[in-house]
Amino acid sequence: MKKKAIISGVTGQDGSYMAELLLSKGYELHGLMRRLSSFASGRIDHLFSNPHFHTYHADLTDSPSLSGIISKVKPDEFYNLGAMSHVKVSFEVPQYTLETNTVGVLNVLEILRTLSPKTKFYQASSSEMFGVPGVPPPFNETTPMNPQSPYGVAKLAAFHLTKQYRDGYGMFATTGILFNHESPRRGGTFVTKKVSQAVARIKHGMQDSLVLGNLDAKRDWGWSPEFVEAIHLIMQQKKPDVYVVATGETHTIKEFVEEAFAHVGLDWKKYVKTDKRYIRPNEVPLLLGDASKIKKIGWKPKMKFKDIVHAMIDYDMAHPHDN
Ligand code: NAP
Ligand code: G4F
């Protein structure tokens, strides 16, 4: 019998890589997509011809849309990767962020509890939950959490709800606290993709400059295709738990920018400006993860910082017209 999985957020960066991974492992896969006014399936268009891949319109804030699909599919595994995932935007749409990233998670957990309690559930938790924890890095599963954004607060509430369903109802409700992870499929409003696209367009003579916000923040950047492998591994454990997924290296935004421009032979200082419109009301100045726990069950990152920068630039140099 094929394993059956549902992925929410299948059109996103991680959702698309997770879909490829599960299909390659022989799953029957069901992806949830939002209805939008224009096409948003670019990352998964190549999967539609696969007879084991099915998609549905659903929204995490719309319980009936979720319960219909869950009761029909009765999945072995539910990967909850859907979210309003942009930290800066969460300050502008805080209510929607909590409705999607917290109530949306509650909706899935409640439906699973009542209709399909044996389904394994994965919640996409975030290092943004650590915020400014008041202890020195690196951060692990026991580090206190002090989120600095509506996004971080919403994810932390969902993290606790996941724990409550695990402890209180005995459900397989598991989670990974993933540090930033990137790829050519990263959305264009996140800093790495914004930089890699701009570098390619500047090099091709299609753009003059790049406007950014805080260049001093530090992030622990990993590679999305490797991070979805970690998620799958977390779901295959005997018991649900909490795992930090990170590279254990941190770099400033400025270092990413320098490396990106240097890779195509340009001096970043000639092109990069800063503007306060990209500054957040609260910032998380430093993220650095300690992935010792997940390493013990067999996952470790391979792509290094420079590999990630170069892979993103090389992709955008070859596809400068992509959105
Ligand atoms: P992403 O590219 O922004 O994808 C988010 C997905 O969620 C998209 O498919 C989006 O649909 C969908 N979505 C948004 N609102 C929804 C709603 N109300 N109902 C149903 N689906 C909705 O994000 P990602 O980078 O793949 O991240 C995947 C998950 O991991 C997210 O939960 C994110 O918060 C979390 N996370 C990401 C990172 C990271 O560094 N990437 C780190 C830690 C945690 P549309 O395509 O229609 O917009
Ligand atoms: O790329 P970012 O928008 O990612 P951020 O805020 O760290 O959030 C990402 O990682 C989280 C995990 O830690 C995820 F949960 C979340 O869903 C998302 O995937 O910003 C990174 C840093 C910030 O310090 C920001 O202030 O880059 C700084 N930055 C500087 N200029 C900018 C810009 N960020 C964006 N988006 N755009 C800029 O122009």
Side-chain angles (χ1 to χ4, degrees):
M1 281 284 280
K2 274 183 172 298
K3 267 196 190 174
K4 289 184 281 184
I6 294 180
I7 299 178
S8 73
V10 75
T11 55
Q13 172 187 247
D14 292 2
S16 64
Y17 287 121
M18 182 57 78
E20 286 172 4
L21 181 69
L22 297 185
L23 287 168
S24 76
K25 289 182 181 293
Y27 281 63
E28 176 186 307
L29 189 56
H30 302 263
L32 309 187
M33 293 168 59
R34 292 193 293 172
R35 187 270 161 183
L36 294 174
S37 63
S38 56
F39 291 107
S41 59
R43 296 181 179 109
I44 54 166
D45 281 345
H46 60 294
L47 300 178
F48 284 119
S49 57
N50 187 317
H52 305 298
F53 183 52
H54 312 275
T55 55
Y56 311 80
H57 280 116
D59 195 298
L60 289 164
T61 62
D62 182 309
S63 265
S65 69
L66 300 169
S67 57
I69 298 160
I70 290 171
S71 60
K72 181 179 153 212
V73 174
K74 288 266 169 57
D76 298 290
E77 298 173 2
F78 189 113
Y79 293 85
N80 189 39
L81 307 184
M84 202 310 285
S85 68
H86 203 283
V87 173
K88 168 93 170 29
V89 174
S90 78
F91 290 98
E92 291 152 38
V93 292
Q95 182 177 337
Y96 177 71
T97 302
L98 267 83
E99 279 166 2
T100 303
N101 297 5
T102 307
V103 179
V105 180
L106 182 64
N107 288 340
V108 177
L109 285 165
E110 262 302 288
I111 293 165
L112 292 179
R113 184 179 73 80
T114 51
L115 295 180
S116 192
K118 292 213 162 22
T119 298
K120 291 178 162 187
F121 171 80
Y122 173 84
Q123 169 57 14
S125 296
S126 165
S127 52
E128 181 72 14
M129 301 187 312
F130 291 117
V132 182
V135 296
F139 307 147
N140 67 19
E141 295 79 5
T142 62
T143 300
M145 292 181 184
N146 180 21
Q148 299 294 308
S149 61
Y151 173 84
V153 169
K155 283 283 182 180
L156 183 53
F159 174 83
H160 286 301
L161 284 167
T162 303
K163 178 177 189 321
Q164 192 201 314
Y165 277 70
R166 175 164 73 241
D167 295 347
Y169 300 119
M171 286 168 57
F172 192 104
T174 196
T175 192
I177 304 175
L178 272 57
F179 283 65
N180 299 47
H181 45 280
E182 317 298 315
S183 75
R185 295 186 194 169
R186 186 58 140 152
T189 60
F190 297 94
V191 74
T192 55
K193 184 70 177 177
K194 187 173 165 183
V195 171
S196 65
Q197 271 184 332
V199 166
R201 288 175 187 167
I202 290 169
K203 186 72 181 173
H204 284 292
M206 297 160 60
Q207 186 173 324
D208 299 327
S209 61
L210 167 63
V211 185
L212 295 171
N214 177 11
L215 301 183
D216 297 323
K218 291 180 149 186
R219 289 292 181 271
D220 178 333
W221 280 298
W223 186 239
S224 175
E226 291 179 0
F227 278 42
V228 300
E229 286 175 5
I231 294 173
H232 185 256
L233 182 65
I234 289 168
M235 278 290 245
Q236 308 317 307
Q237 299 310 298
K238 285 216 173 71
K239 288 188 181 160
D241 205 340
V242 177
Y243 296 90
V244 159
V245 182
T247 71
E249 250 191 61
T250 193
H251 296 272
T252 60
I253 313 304
K254 197 188 289 172
E255 287 175 271
F256 191 101
V257 169
E258 276 173 357
E259 187 61 38
F261 277 88
H263 188 54
V264 296
L266 296 177
D267 176 2
W268 71 279
K269 291 195 202 78
K270 291 188 184 151
Y271 303 97
V272 175
K273 301 170 189 164
T274 54
D275 190 287
K276 62 178 186 312
R277 75 175 180 275
Y278 295 114
I279 302 288
R280 300 163 183 199
N282 291 324
E283 174 67 285
V284 171
L286 165 64
L287 288 174
L288 175 62
D290 168 6
S292 306
K293 182 171 170 181
I294 193 164
K295 282 183 181 160
K296 285 193 192 122
I297 62 167
W299 179 87
K300 70 169 187 222
K302 295 177 203 77
M303 287 279 276
K304 296 288 196 193
F305 172 71
K306 284 190 184 179
D307 304 328
I308 293 168
V309 181
H310 297 173
M312 292 181 74
I313 298 286
D314 291 346
Y315 178 88
D316 285 324
M317 283 298 289
H319 305 86
H321 296 282
D322 273 15
N323 282 321

